[in-house]
Amino acid sequence: MFRKLAAAAVAAAIAGPALAQDAYVVGLTGALTGPPASTYAPAVEALRIYIDRVNAAGGINGKTVNLILQDDSAEPGKAAANAKKLIAQDNVMLMLNASLSSTYAPMVAEAKRAGVPVLFASSVCPKDVYPPADPLLFCTTAFAANHDSRAVLSFVKETAKEPVKLGLAAMAIPISRGEIDFAEGLSKTMGMTPVSKEIIPPPTPDYTPFATKIKDAGANWAYSWAPWVTQVRTLEALRRLGWQGDYVAWAHIEAEGELARLKDGQFYVVGATALFQDALPIHAEIAQAVQKANVQYPPQQMAEGWIAGMVVEAALKATSWPPTPEKLAAAMSNLNVDTRGLRGGPIAWTKDNHFRTRQYYRVYRWDPAKASIVRVKDWTAFDVQ
Amino acid sequence: MQLAVNITVLAAIYALIACGYVLVYRVSRVLNLAHGELMMLGAYLLLMTATQFSSHWLAALTAAVLLSLSTGVLVYVFLMRKMTGEMVLAAVLTTVALGILLRGAMVLIWSAQQFYPAQPLQIANVAIALPGGARISLCAALLVLTTALVYGALLTFLRFGRWGVRMRAAGQNPLLAAQRGINLHAIYALAWGLSTLTGALAGMLIALDAGLNQTMAIIGLKAFPAALVGGLDSLAGALAGALIVAAAEILLINYVDPLLSEVVPFLVLIAMLIVRPWGLFGTREELDRV
């Protein structure tokens, strides 16, 4: 897979300027390697497969899409260098980010100087895409600070049969800590009692010390909004300590495979993307494309990147030839993309809202009786204001 | 009681990793900054053998251990041997380059996915109840046991084994050792092999306990302060250093702020460097030479 990504990157780098006149040129900087790559690389791979399909089917408005991939290893310095290269050398009209939030500032600064729109695809949505949105920043990623914790804590409140003593776990990165701080405050207003908040450094060889504190604090529910590794290892450490409470976490792209691995009936994942368990026609389409492309990642991890591909296709389609970053940004500010069930509703952007006007959440868990993943709660909509 | 178990497990992890740093440094004065990556490679080798040998966990583990040992020897033969006679700094920088190369290669081969080698090996990582209401996972208990066995074996080997004595001699005075007929290249290759083996064992057991992804190499670096605190040329020091760093880390997580766990190993290290730069059990003259 990475050989293909590398080959695509090299080919695009050589052919980029030449193709720029005949193609829509889109650049991406992402964590294709490095510690957090497991969250981002599958999404980038899915996007690449999607764009390859679009090109194979004749392109968009009769033109091909030249997707240039750059690895930033989740390092801000590399992301800045990538952004400079994509803008100055490749003349991209759209930049995508699939990396840690620490890469945003340098990349966005470069993009704004050049007036190039930025799409956050699989990386967490920054607040600048919420109303009133920055004119150049857009986001398709499922997870979103503040909104997610509202949905999760609403679910906990509905589900809990006794007063909730909440244990919280975050990774020691700004976005995760901020969200867990927000959840701590919100939980109090919802009548819950936060009893423990663990900020866990990445990487940690043993999660047991943190889990011990959550258990000893008397938590009967635990909530983690962090990269998958922190979420799931905290849960596993809690279970090994004999903790029998309910655990709720964000449904990252790894969730479906991990629910089946853990087989824990009290482990809930809340997400904004339909799991393959729902067996939608588009799931079959993705699975077929992934199989054909012969990549290392399972189809279950591809939906996030696929949605980004759908949105890029729709945005480029709405941009008349010859395209410019200004035309594209204008088209993106009035976009409505049907995700064919992958999300609870469309990705709808307006002039003031570059996140989505309504965010939908579903809850899943493993059902030991049925020996399969089951939907605990169907799409619940939250207005984004 | 759980607190004591948590300290023991973390100390065992750090100690098992740290002894790899010590073995190479003690013999060749080279600081192996690719140790974390070699440790991660050991875990990926287990993943590979686990897929090959499926349910035969002992065969998979044995094959992975042998492959790791061979990898260490090959690293010396094909890379570090060329650094013989060069400045120590050049050798250290070579290990940095090796680490970068290994990280890239591992992503290319195994992708960035999270893996669980315990699954193909059908190892159920059950929790074991201990007195005082404490619990420990099976793999964590194995890690503690392995650390004890590795240290026992290494200390015995270095004290009484023929090759162990040669290793000590080569570390103390390579010129004199060579004049006495000791094959220095064989000694260095053995040190690299054993160092990679112990690191790989740590990687394998961590992977069996909690899974495997690209972040493992950084865990290797977190154990580095333990080796320095104990004294870079002392195995017993690495053990003591690991215990001190782990205890400080766990106690601060428990009683002060979990966030401190990230900086504690390095705070302990700085404190030690101020008070006793050569570490608890390190040799002062060795450090002066550096």
Side-chain angles (χ1 to χ4, degrees):
Chain A
M1 187 282 298
F2 276 94
R3 285 189 200 95
K4 286 179 188 170
L5 286 181
V10 170
I14 295 166
L19 287 171
Q21 295 167 357
D22 306 320
Y24 293 99
V25 186
V26 175
L28 178 144
T29 176
L32 306 181
T33 61
S38 61
T39 304
Y40 303 106
V44 175
E45 185 64 0
L47 175 69
R48 185 188 66 78
I49 294 170
Y50 189 93
I51 297 296
D52 283 351
R53 274 167 45 110
V54 167
N55 285 334
I60 297 170
N61 301 329
K63 308 286 180 184
T64 56
V65 181
N66 181 16
L67 177 65
I68 302 169
L69 304 178
Q70 298 285 328
D71 179 21
D72 61 31
S73 305
E75 293 174 20
K78 281 189 186 173
N82 289 346
K84 274 188 185 138
K85 187 245 173 196
L86 290 169
I87 290 169
Q89 194 177 317
D90 301 316
N91 299 315
V92 297
M93 67 191 68
L94 172 65
M95 276 211 292
L96 279 75
N97 181 296
S99 192
L100 282 186
S101 54
S102 54
T103 63
Y104 291 2
M107 185 210 177
V108 168
E110 291 294 332
K112 282 192 170 177
R113 265 195 288 277
V116 172
V118 176
L119 172 62
F120 297 93
S122 82
S123 45
V124 67
C125 296
K127 285 184 178 168
D128 306 300
V129 303
Y130 301 154
D134 184 295
L136 287 177
L137 305 184
F138 302 84
C139 188
T140 57
T141 309
F143 53 101
N146 297 5
H147 297 285
D148 296 348
S149 287
R150 283 180 210 282
V152 168
L153 294 179
S154 298
F155 167 72
V156 171
K157 194 176 178 185
E158 287 167 23
T159 312
K161 295 179 177 68
E162 52 189 24
V164 175
K165 291 181 186 171
L166 191 63
L168 297 157
M171 184 186 267
I173 53 173
I175 193 78
S176 177
R177 287 182 64 184
E179 183 66 1
I180 286 300
D181 286 343
F182 174 78
E184 184 185 25
L186 185 63
S187 66
K188 289 176 190 167
T189 66
M190 295 174 79
M192 302 173 203
T193 310
V195 292
S196 172
K197 184 172 71 175
E198 302 307 311
I199 311 294
I200 305 171
T204 296
D206 185 15
Y207 283 73
T208 316
F210 304 97
T212 304
K213 281 187 77 182
I214 294 174
K215 180 177 176 259
D216 290 349
N220 55 3
W221 277 82
Y223 166 43
S224 181
W225 194 88
W228 185 259
V229 62
T230 297
Q231 296 186 162
V232 78
R233 289 191 185 174
T234 306
L235 166 67
E236 288 183 279
L238 277 165
R239 291 294 186 236
R240 283 187 208 123
L241 288 170
W243 185 72
Q244 293 179 334
D246 294 281
Y247 193 94
V248 58
W250 179 254
H252 285 291
I253 59 173
E254 301 95 332
E256 193 156 9
E258 291 280 87
L259 283 175
R261 178 180 70 86
L262 292 166
K263 297 182 172 49
D264 186 329
Q266 287 176 277
F267 175 33
Y268 302 90
V269 293
V270 177
T273 307
L275 298 190
F276 274 59
Q277 179 71 20
D278 295 330
L280 300 168
I282 193 165
H283 284 141
E285 197 180 308
I286 295 172
Q288 197 179 14
V290 169
Q291 192 181 11
K292 194 177 166 191
N294 191 26
V295 293
Q296 284 173 297
Y297 298 104
Q300 290 84 352
Q301 298 190 6
M302 295 290 185
E304 187 73 60
W306 202 263
I307 291 167
M310 293 165 100
V311 169
V312 168
E313 182 188 19
L316 295 178
K317 206 174 268 181
T319 306
S320 62
W321 194 266
T324 63
E326 295 77 25
K327 279 189 196 174
L328 182 60
M332 290 171 81
S333 292
N334 184 23
L335 201 69
N336 194 310
V337 181
D338 176 11
T339 59
R340 297 171 57 197
L342 287 176
R343 296 273 168 83
I347 301 276
W349 289 333
T350 64
K351 193 182 171 196
D352 292 326
N353 187 336
H354 295 171
F355 173 59
R356 59 221 66 157
T357 49
R358 301 192 95 187
Q359 169 82 325
Y360 297 82
Y361 294 94
R362 249 182 193 167
V363 185
Y364 298 88
R365 75 175 174 95
W366 178 262
D367 186 336
K370 293 180 182 170
S372 72
I373 297 168
V374 293
R375 205 185 299 160
V376 179
K377 193 177 179 201
D378 206 355
W379 294 122
T380 309
F382 288 77
D383 287 328
V384 178
Q385 290 164 351
Chain B
M1 184 62 185
Q2 188 64 51
L3 200 65
V5 172
N6 291 348
I7 290 172
T8 307
V9 171
L10 192 60
I13 291 171
Y14 286 163
L16 195 51
I17 302 169
C19 78
Y21 286 113
V22 171
L23 280 170
V24 167
Y25 182 82
R26 181 175 173 143
V27 173
S28 62
R29 294 296 175 271
V30 173
L31 203 52
N32 176 17
L33 294 179
H35 191 54
E37 282 78 9
L38 287 167
M39 166 185 142
M40 185 161 80
L41 179 62
Y44 276 115
L45 288 174
L46 175 64
L47 180 73
M48 191 179 77
T49 57
T51 316
Q52 295 294 318
F53 294 99
S54 278
S55 53
H56 300 93
W57 63 269
L58 190 60
L61 266 173
T62 308
V65 161
L66 291 175
L67 282 171
S68 302
L69 184 72
S70 311
T71 302
V73 172
L74 290 175
V75 164
Y76 176 75
V77 171
F78 288 108
L79 187 68
M80 300 313 295
R81 187 179 166 143
K82 317 282 183 206
M83 293 291 112
T84 311
E86 302 293 338
M87 286 194 308
V88 170
L89 183 63
V92 174
L93 289 176
T94 304
T95 66
V96 173
L98 173 67
I100 294 168
L101 182 76
L102 285 174
R103 272 204 304 274
M106 283 184 273
V107 174
L108 279 171
I109 297 168
W110 286 288
S111 83
Q113 283 185 83
Q114 174 86 13
F115 291 104
Y116 296 93
Q119 274 192 315
L121 293 174
Q122 297 172 18
I123 295 174
N125 191 18
V126 293
I128 301 166
L130 298 172
R135 292 165 78 102
I136 187 171
S137 69
L138 174 67
C139 291
L142 279 175
L143 199 144
V144 174
L145 187 68
T146 304
T147 304
L149 288 173
V150 162
Y151 269 81
L154 280 176
L155 288 169
T156 309
F157 170 71
L158 289 171
R159 179 76 181 85
F160 302 109
R162 181 184 288 184
W163 281 85
V165 172
R166 286 175 183 173
M167 275 177 85
R168 282 197 290 142
Q172 277 172 12
N173 193 325
L175 186 63
L176 194 58
Q179 284 171 345
R180 294 281 295 167
I182 293 174
N183 182 345
L184 287 185
H185 287 307
I187 293 292
Y188 292 154
L190 179 64
W192 273 89
L194 289 175
S195 164
T196 305
L197 169 66
T198 54
L201 275 174
M204 288 175 207
L205 288 163
I206 293 171
L208 285 174
D209 193 34
L212 167 64
N213 65 15
Q214 296 289 317
T215 61
M216 186 177 273
I218 306 172
I219 293 172
L221 204 59
K222 282 188 85 174
F224 184 53
L228 279 170
V229 166
L232 255 179
D233 62 345
S234 167
L235 267 182
L239 203 55
L243 197 60
I244 291 169
V245 170
E249 201 172 319
I250 299 288
L251 291 172
L252 282 168
I253 289 172
N254 215 59
Y255 296 114
V256 187
D257 187 339
L259 260 181
L260 286 171
S261 66
E262 201 168 15
V263 294
V264 163
F266 298 94
L267 284 178
V268 174
L269 173 61
I270 289 169
M272 182 55 71
L273 288 175
I274 291 169
V275 178
R276 197 177 159 90
W278 52 94
L280 276 177
F281 294 84
T283 315
R284 185 170 191 169
E285 63 168 343
E286 303 293 352
L287 200 83
D288 287 346
R289 203 183 295 166
V290 172

